Amino acid sequence: MAKLDFYFSPGACSLATHICLEEAGATFTPKPTYTRKGQTRTPEYLALNPKGKVPMLGVDGHMLTENTAIITYLNRSYPNAKLLPVGDALKEAEALAFVAWCASGVHPVMSRFFGPQNFCDLPDSADNVKSLAAKATAGNFALIEKALGTKDWVFGDWSAADAYIFVFYNWASKLGLDLAAYPNYAKHAERMKQRPAVQRALAREAEAMAAMDKAA
Ligand SMILES: N[C@@H](CCC(=O)N[C@@H](CS)C(=O)NCC(=O)O)C(=O)O
């Protein structure tokens, strides 16, 4: 098996990959890299990943970025974990399309909440940026709610798609967004918290966060 180094920031979208690593039973070295402390923007980190983002997975020294790509790699490397539907090319591609939409359609909209000034720097524009982000997020969450329907998991069996949408539900809860219109999504988040792999990933992230706060 390849030597894996996992770069993540507690609470960031890297949690999707973190959960998949745990679900796969992979052995990896955690490398907490705090976005809030600018640690993804240091010359050392940028030398590894010029995009300055987490997640990043070192695979025998090769740096792989983007949740979608890392999940694809883990799915191929740990087929027993079934991170994406196995054995049916169309179903696998559909799940990958969902994960790619999380990365390209849902995440960038929610990023506006965390850095409204990066999207519009006109004076007093932050509230407008956030209220447009809330509207667009509501549309995306309605699609997630519909994709879940009454199923336990987006694609019937658990998959990486469930890991990525869990990140957004956590963000929305922390932001205090109104989540009343998404009862299936709320139950999904509770189900996710029951999974041992999710508990291990969350515990490691909480530990890393506590260490960062202590060092601050
Ligand atoms: N499309 C990427 C998104 C990566 C991303 O935006 N990561 C954020 C954390 S949620 C980050 O590292 N931000 C740090 C920064 O921009 O300095 C993926 O899904 O992996």
Side-chain angles (χ1 to χ4, degrees), residues 10 43 76 84 133 157:
R76 297 267 170 93
L84 296 169
D157 292 328

Side-chain angles (χ1 to χ4, degrees), residues 12-13 35 40-41 52-55 66-67 103 107 164 171:
C13 68
T35 55
T40 54
R41 300 286 163 169
K53 306 273 184 191
V54 286
E66 298 293 325
N67 276 298
H107 183 311
Y164 215 148
W171 286 354

Side-chain angles (χ1 to χ4, degrees), residues 8-12 14 32-36 204-210 212:
F8 69 100
S9 185
S14 43
T33 308
Y34 306 107
T35 55
R36 270 203 285 141
R204 186 177 296 106
E205 299 215 350
E207 211 175 283
M209 182 80 95
M212 173 178 73

